[in-house]
Amino acid sequence: MRALADWQKLQVNKMYKQAHYDEDFLNSFNTGNDFYLEEVEDRYPDSIKRKRLKLPDVRSVDVSRHFTRLSEMNYSVDIGMYPLGSCTMKFNPKYADYVAALPGFQNVHPLESESRIQGTLEVMYRLQQLLIKISGMDYASLQPSAGAHGEFTGILIVRKFFEVNGQLGNRDEIIIPDSAHGTNPASAAMVGFKVVEVPSNDNGLVDIEALKAAVNPRTAAFMITNPNTLGIFDDQILEIAEIIHNNGSLLYYDGANFNAILGITTPGIMGFDIVHFNLHKTFATPHGGGGPGAGPVAVKSYLREYLPVPVVVLENGKYSLYYNLKNTIGKVSSYNGSFGVILRAYAYALKNGNNLSLNARRAVMNSNYMAKKLSKSFEIPYKSLKKHEFVLSTSRTGRKALDISKFILDYGIHSPTTYFPLIVKEAMMIEPTESVTLKDMDYYIDVMEKSLEVPEDTIKSSPVNTSVGRIDEIAAARNLILKWPDSCENS
Amino acid sequence: MAVKMTETDEILQYLNIKNDEELFADIPQKLRVSLDLGLPMDEFSLITSIEKSCSNNVSPAMNFLGNGIYDRFIPPLVDEIIGRNEFLTSYTPYQPEISQGILHSLFEYQSVISDLTQMDVTNSSMYDGFTALAEAVRMAYRINGKEEVLVPENIYRSQLSIIQNYVIGLNLKIIKYKFGKDGLIDMEDLKSKISDHTSSIIVANPNLFGLIDENAFTVSEFKKEALLITYYDPVSLGLIKSPGEYGTDIAVAEGQQLGIHMNYGGPLLGLFSFRKEYVHRSPGRLIGLSKDNSGRKAFVMTLQAREQHIRRSRAMSNICSNQALLAVASLAYLSILGSNGMKKLALITMNKSIKLKKELYNAGINTVFKGINFSDNLFYFDGQEKLIRSNISGGIKLSELSDYPGYKNSAFFSVTEKTSDESISRLAKITGE
Ligand SMILES: Cc1ncc(COP(=O)(O)O)c(C=O)c1O
């Protein structure tokens, strides 16, 4: 018998097979609804009634089986390594889910009076205080619903700040590095700012000269994340802050990468004025296949009066909602924030305490370990010292990041973020987090390396062990189908 | 999380460094902090501590709160489904081949909400009802570029504030239209305000007084080139005319009632549906049906060229994370209840409102309007201290929610299928005293 090539051995050792069901749409089951409710009187005029209602007609057992089968066609952190760069897919601790399901928290109406929800407000207040501490800011609001929503909130604060200071018409630009996440320019534009991009320098950092050239009397703010999206800490940050502040502009911190610095440094000490957090990243709350998240915002004291209302305050041992901020931007969410997410984040923070910074350290160690090992086979541009994540380029390997990302899936692991940041060609952005073991990482690295050895047709035809093979995305956009066909029954 | 020393030693050894401090050499000492974040806790102590916080909450003896968020019964199967870690602990489906479960579910969510509203297209969720409403106003502006939006005079203060924030960068004026003495849209006033400058008209149904507003059904007949944005109650659609039936262009709602716990108002679910010709101008994520390389049904995120990661400052919205898991909850809920269940639920709710109005009337408390209510009922009432004494939640003043100029002494009591007849009788007794 012919000896197996190395990559074949790996495949034999670690065969992964995701379930595949040719699952029908719920509206075609027609097994007969069995949710019982007693008969009720109907004395309402036809003039207010709909003519027809056609929801799925299924038994509960079929609903249960349908979603159980679908869940078997879904990869998750609880199955294996999920190193999506910039997403911080660490383990979501189950104690957080447990406390989030306490009926005393779950069954609280958002208009409930303050005296009955002292426990809820206590959790919110304590998380506010914790976020203030770890960010080196002075005040916080838990209201925004996700990172991008936090950015929107922060930029509304920027706008209001200049409005109150009589400079609104003059300050209409926001500067953003070319390595920034897409939500940054999108959020700035939503608030009516013109977006000016500055290029990064050869080290992947802010090009100070380019920044100086871009900064002008119209500059309202500079938005960055540090470490940046290349996973590199920009040690020019104090100089950057000075340039921005000397111009009378504000410095905005995108906290998506907070897991690299928690307990080590703070945006406050770096000179930032406004910060958003992504609780679903740094604080390990489950991301639910796309959301929910939560994107609290914290500011320095001189911006307190601009925060969304209400904020939670503590006076004489009683928690209450405080609305009386002079220049408040008002509201950005229906109510006071994603409490279910806030509570999980609070549980995570309280449980870990001073170990939070150990988690950050381990995350950075893991990232540097993988970067160094993978640098043998892949080009990892810019400075070698990484923080919690790093970006490699597959350009010189002759293989596309897309192909490698599909090949990886066949081994029961999730691919990195691909084609982001935009400044690296054929980018793969890897963020292992602190939750992975050495064995997890070595296996991942093995698979990455094998992806360069397998024959071209093998990689082009991957993945084969996932529920479905490569999907025609162009056809999906060209021939748009965004809902199920009508079931013929009772239509 | 416990950090295994042996592993970190191996990593340090491989990196050829003595300790992890060397990995932070790029963070200058003057930027370093030393924070006291408290001692780590064992799980038992943690849970005990949070249960203690929880015990500082007091459950009301009876709950008549509503106005957007409602205490409805949630079949345990809903929590079971969204508690499955394959859904719960996954990220946005950036690798669709390994994420078909959530993609298929979200596609079905888009379908079921489109069926419920009788609208062409539904996106895969927005943060919550009010931001969905504000995004609808932005979308209408992108579509027709006109400079006025007409909003109901009784609009909630928080809704208005969010809309103001969302349109702050646009050249868009917010104009209020009036309500008649019957609590329904004042059609003459609305008509007089619709012009060639109108970008969109927001109607709420049930309206913000809690009434089924038949006038809303006719607005599309004279809206000119404006877009009709309908803010609806998803449970009401078990019985009431759907936004699609009366010419709505963009239909938005808060989806919390569809199987999502109140959770002090978050995380919620923004339902967002629209006419198909507007799909390229729509915010948020969309899941599309396609095929894989062997012809099998397969789903992907589609029309991503509208989104922030591609279009950046020119994107249709900045949405990245949305409310996917809650969308799945609402899909499960609607599938479990089915058409018949949803119809009955709507009827039970409306019948409870009638019972409430009757019993409070007998106790000397009058409704402000005579119309047909869904969940929320507005009464002339200012006896809030009686409620506090009896540990009853409800009686939210109209003036607390809205800047509407009239009915200063009125307050809301809301019902759901969970509101028992006994609690209605007790409320009547207590408030009538
Ligand atoms: C750097 C960065 N900024 C902002 C965001 C947006 O966060 P969210 O998805 O919570 O809106 C992300 C999310 O991936 C990110 O990586």
Side-chain angles (χ1 to χ4, degrees):
Chain A
M1 206 179 90
R2 211 157 53 93
L4 291 170
D6 265 2
W7 66 271
Q8 286 169 318
K9 271 187 219 148
L10 191 79
Q11 193 147 358
V12 171
N13 289 345
K14 295 282 180 183
M15 181 59 83
Y16 165 74
K17 193 77 194 153
Q18 193 178 31
H20 174 264
Y21 299 93
D22 185 14
E23 192 64 15
D24 284 334
F25 292 125
L26 276 166
N27 73 331
S28 65
F29 277 55
N30 297 324
T31 50
N33 180 281
D34 58 358
F35 187 78
Y36 176 78
L37 280 173
E38 64 180 313
E39 289 308 318
V40 273
E41 206 179 351
D42 175 358
R43 284 171 300 172
Y44 301 98
D46 284 345
S47 61
I48 65 167
K49 287 183 189 164
R50 64 189 298 154
K51 289 203 192 67
R52 148 185 111 95
L53 175 63
K54 208 165 55 72
L55 297 174
D57 185 29
V58 282
R59 300 179 303 169
S60 288
V61 60
D62 292 318
V63 175
S64 185
R65 285 177 181 161
H66 178 68
F67 288 106
T68 304
R69 289 190 294 249
L70 289 180
S71 76
E72 289 180 18
M73 293 163 65
N74 216 54
Y75 192 78
S76 69
V77 167
D78 280 359
I79 294 174
M81 196 163 156
Y82 210 134
L84 270 177
S86 207
C87 302
T88 318
M89 289 296 276
K90 55 172 90 175
F91 176 61
N92 308 141
K94 306 310 166 190
Y95 56 76
D97 294 334
Y98 177 87
V99 296
L102 292 172
F105 283 130
Q106 259 187 345
N107 297 340
V108 174
H109 191 282
L111 300 178
E112 188 54 90
S113 67
E114 289 165 17
S115 63
R116 289 203 193 89
I117 54 166
Q118 288 294 303
T120 296
L121 296 179
E122 175 173 280
V123 167
M124 294 177 73
Y125 180 80
R126 288 182 181 171
L127 188 68
Q128 265 176 214
Q129 296 312 106
L130 179 99
L131 295 178
I132 287 166
K133 200 181 228 175
I134 64 163
S135 61
M137 295 281 138
D138 299 312
Y139 294 95
S141 160
L142 304 178
Q143 202 176 118
S145 300
H149 205 213
E151 294 167 21
F152 174 65
T153 306
I155 302 303
L156 282 170
I157 291 172
V158 169
R159 184 181 162 113
K160 190 78 187 233
F161 174 77
F162 288 115
E163 186 186 322
V164 168
N165 290 293
Q167 298 184 55
L168 183 60
N170 306 329
R171 298 269 184 186
D172 59 357
E173 291 179 4
I174 285 187
I175 305 178
I176 291 172
D178 58 1
S179 59
H181 193 258
T183 51
N184 291 187
S187 302
M190 253 175 100
V191 184
F193 286 99
K194 208 176 101 194
V195 175
V196 179
E197 275 203 0
V198 289
S200 307
N201 67 17
D202 294 343
N203 300 320
L205 304 177
V206 171
D207 184 330
I208 296 285
E209 290 315 310
L211 179 65
K212 281 183 184 160
V215 167
N216 73 80
R218 307 206 73 87
T219 307
F222 183 42
M223 290 178 90
I224 45 171
T225 177
N226 197 18
N228 65 17
T229 58
L230 297 162
I232 299 175
F233 188 84
D234 199 325
D235 54 8
Q236 320 164 94
I237 189 61
L238 289 175
E239 192 183 350
I240 292 169
E242 199 178 319
I243 294 169
I244 296 303
H245 290 149
N246 283 347
N247 190 55
S249 316
L250 296 171
L251 193 57
Y252 183 93
Y253 187 83
D254 174 340
N257 295 340
F258 219 108
N259 208 42
I261 61 155
L262 212 171
I264 293 153
T265 180
T266 68
I269 201 168
M270 290 186 235
F272 285 89
D273 304 294
I274 308 174
V275 177
H276 88 251
F277 305 85
N278 299 60
L279 297 186
H280 46 295
K281 299 180 182 186
T282 317
F283 291 87
T285 73
H287 197 254
V297 165
V299 297
K300 290 270 176 69
S301 56
Y302 41 87
L303 294 173
R304 173 185 186 240
E305 298 296 315
Y306 296 85
L307 284 173
V309 286
V311 289
V312 183
V313 296
L314 173 61
E315 265 171 357
N316 308 323
K318 267 193 148 9
Y319 297 96
S320 60
L321 296 171
Y322 187 79
Y323 286 87
N324 204 10
L325 299 176
K326 196 165 94 224
N327 302 316
T328 177
I329 61 163
K331 297 221 59 161
V332 293
S333 289
S334 294
Y335 299 96
N336 301 334
S338 288
F339 181 76
V341 180
I342 289 164
L343 175 56
R344 283 179 169 91
Y346 171 67
Y348 172 80
L350 190 60
K351 167 89 175 73
N352 282 273
N354 288 326
N355 278 354
L356 286 168
S357 73
L358 292 185
N359 292 351
R361 284 172 183 274
R362 179 64 196 261
V364 170
M365 260 190 251
N366 288 348
S367 161
N368 279 283
Y369 177 81
M370 288 191 77
K372 186 171 177 191
K373 282 216 152 167
L374 283 167
S375 67
K376 293 196 190 114
S377 328
F378 295 88
E379 179 199 3
I380 301 185
Y382 307 113
K383 191 167 158 178
S384 64
L385 179 55
K386 308 297 179 189
K387 291 279 90 53
H388 65 304
E389 67 191 0
F390 61 96
V391 179
L392 61 80
S393 168
T394 71
S395 282
R396 290 201 195 144
T397 67
R399 296 240 138 123
K400 295 204 147 312
L402 175 81
D403 291 330
I404 294 175
S405 75
K406 299 305 176 194
F407 176 81
I408 287 172
L409 302 178
D410 273 337
Y411 292 84
I413 47 187
H414 199 280
S415 320
T417 300
T418 52
Y419 299 100
F420 177 72
L422 307 178
I423 58 172
V424 175
K425 286 208 189 82
E426 296 296 328
M428 296 191 104
M429 185 188 209
I430 301 180
E431 180 179 9
T433 80
E434 68 273 22
S435 303
V436 298
T437 63
L438 205 51
K439 205 168 143 205
D440 293 332
M441 291 192 285
D442 285 340
Y443 175 65
Y444 204 92
I445 292 160
D446 263 0
V447 174
M448 290 283 292
E449 286 172 347
K450 296 299 180 257
S451 76
L452 302 180
E453 296 163 19
V454 292
E456 187 71 6
D457 53 334
T458 303
I459 197 155
K460 287 283 178 197
S461 59
S462 60
V464 294
N465 296 332
T466 48
S467 319
V468 297
R470 279 201 210 190
I471 305 171
D472 191 342
E473 302 200 11
I474 294 165
R478 201 174 287 152
N479 176 27
L480 271 185
I481 305 174
L482 301 173
K483 63 180 178 189
W484 54 36
D486 276 349
S487 64
C488 349
E489 199 254 356
N490 78 15
S491 58
Chain B
M1 135 166 203
V3 178
K4 275 195 202 151
M5 282 314 292
T6 50
E7 289 215 341
T8 54
D9 286 347
E10 269 185 68
I11 294 171
L12 294 176
Q13 197 176 22
Y14 177 76
L15 293 173
N16 209 2
I17 55 176
K18 287 203 187 59
N19 57 47
D20 60 11
E21 202 31 54
E22 292 182 43
L23 297 175
F24 293 90
D26 50 356
I27 305 186
Q29 282 305 322
K30 63 181 165 201
L31 294 182
R32 298 304 186 87
V33 293
S34 161
L35 304 177
D36 180 10
L37 302 173
L39 290 175
M41 292 171 99
D42 61 79
E43 277 196 39
F44 173 68
S45 308
L46 172 85
I47 288 172
T48 308
S49 160
I50 293 184
E51 280 173 342
K52 187 158 166 285
S53 293
C54 189
S55 71
N56 293 333
N57 279 354
V58 180
S59 322
M62 295 186 278
N63 180 5
F64 294 93
L65 290 168
N67 296 91
I69 301 295
Y70 300 89
D71 182 14
R72 292 200 177 273
F73 172 72
I74 301 174
L77 179 52
V78 175
D79 280 337
E80 177 67 28
I81 288 166
I82 63 166
R84 288 196 69 87
N85 61 44
E86 295 88 343
F87 292 134
L88 183 67
T89 74
S90 61
Y91 207 79
T92 306
Y94 292 131
Q95 294 292 338
E97 296 84 357
I98 206 164
S99 313
Q100 285 297 298
I102 191 77
L103 284 161
H104 186 128
S105 304
L106 292 172
F107 180 87
E108 292 194 311
Y109 159 81
Q110 293 176 179
S111 307
V112 83
I113 300 300
S114 299
D115 285 353
L116 183 71
T117 54
Q118 295 181 287
M119 298 293 293
D120 298 332
V121 182
T122 300
N123 76 15
S124 75
S125 72
M126 306 298 273
Y127 300 137
D128 58 31
F130 296 175
T131 64
L133 179 62
E135 289 272 17
V137 175
R138 285 181 66 85
M139 178 169 153
Y141 181 82
R142 280 195 295 276
I143 290 167
N144 61 22
K146 294 174 186 284
E147 55 274 10
E148 294 174 357
V149 49
L150 303 182
V151 306
E153 189 170 22
N154 58 6
I155 191 167
Y156 295 161
R157 212 174 284 120
S158 48
Q159 288 175 322
L160 186 61
S161 174
I162 293 169
I163 293 172
Q164 282 165 338
N165 278 329
Y166 271 72
V167 306
I168 205 163
L170 310 177
N171 175 27
L172 200 54
K173 205 166 130 201
I174 299 172
I175 297 170
K176 291 182 180 174
Y177 63 83
K178 292 195 180 341
F179 282 75
K181 290 216 168 55
D182 55 1
L184 306 184
I185 297 174
D186 178 338
M187 293 307 275
E188 290 317 308
D189 184 65
L190 176 58
K191 277 181 197 169
S192 74
K193 286 173 178 160
I194 297 173
S195 76
D196 293 338
H197 302 288
T198 313
S199 172
S200 57
I201 304 161
I202 295 175
V203 301
N205 209 1
N207 71 26
L208 301 167
F209 292 137
L211 300 167
I212 305 296
D213 197 330
E214 290 198 54
N215 290 349
F217 299 154
T218 63
V219 172
S220 69
E221 289 162 23
F222 44 85
K223 69 186 170 79
K224 298 198 170 148
E225 283 165 47
L227 271 68
L228 177 61
I229 298 171
T230 299
Y231 192 83
Y232 63 95
D233 173 316
V235 174
S236 77
L237 298 192
L239 184 75
I240 305 300
K241 259 196 180 91
S242 71
E245 277 179 299
Y246 50 94
T248 299
D249 298 291
I250 307 173
V252 289
E254 172 51 59
Q256 175 272 330
Q257 299 187 72
L258 306 177
I260 299 164
H261 295 276
M262 295 188 288
N263 263 321
Y264 191 53
L268 299 174
L269 170 64
L271 309 180
F272 196 98
S273 314
F274 46 87
R275 286 185 195 276
K276 59 175 178 296
E277 52 267 41
Y278 302 140
V279 68
H280 292 278
R281 317 250 83 195
S282 66
R285 298 192 187 273
L286 288 165
I287 312 303
L289 173 62
S290 188
K291 285 191 165 52
D292 81 346
N293 51 7
S294 48
R296 291 178 292 191
K297 183 167 79 197
F299 304 87
V300 288
M301 292 195 283
T302 194
L303 293 192
Q304 294 192 55
R306 300 169 301 117
E307 293 188 51
Q308 43 76 27
H309 57 286
I310 296 180
R311 195 70 73 86
R312 298 177 76 84
S313 64
R314 284 165 40 249
M316 295 304 126
S317 73
N318 67 341
I319 298 253
C320 184
S321 291
N322 56 19
Q323 305 295 105
L325 191 72
L326 297 316
V328 177
S330 72
L331 165 66
Y333 179 88
L334 288 168
S335 305
I336 293 165
L337 267 79
S339 309
N340 196 30
M342 287 304 290
K343 182 177 178 185
K344 281 185 183 168
L345 196 61
L347 282 168
I348 294 170
T349 304
M350 293 166 76
N351 291 352
K352 295 268 183 199
S353 277
I354 289 176
K355 186 163 179 65
L356 175 77
K357 289 192 286 187
K358 204 167 171 187
E359 298 223 5
L360 290 197
Y361 175 79
N362 290 340
I365 296 159
N366 289 317
T367 51
V368 177
F369 306 111
K370 292 275 164 289
I372 303 174
N373 290 77
F374 196 69
S375 287
D376 303 331
N377 300 273
L378 190 62
F379 296 91
Y380 289 110
F381 178 80
D382 58 5
Q384 274 79 6
E385 68 293 345
K386 291 181 193 165
L387 304 177
I388 296 168
R389 246 184 279 130
S390 304
N391 193 25
I392 295 171
S393 298
I396 298 284
K397 291 187 191 135
L398 174 64
S399 60
E400 253 177 75
L401 298 175
S402 172
D403 288 328
Y404 192 78
Y407 315 120
K408 291 286 182 224
N409 288 332
S410 67
F412 285 102
F413 290 90
S414 305
V415 295
T416 70
E417 79 281 14
K418 283 173 77 173
T419 314
S420 67
D421 289 351
E422 302 82 74
S423 65
I424 290 175
S425 303
R426 274 188 57 206
L427 177 72
K429 187 157 175 291
I430 288 161
T431 53
E433 269 161 11

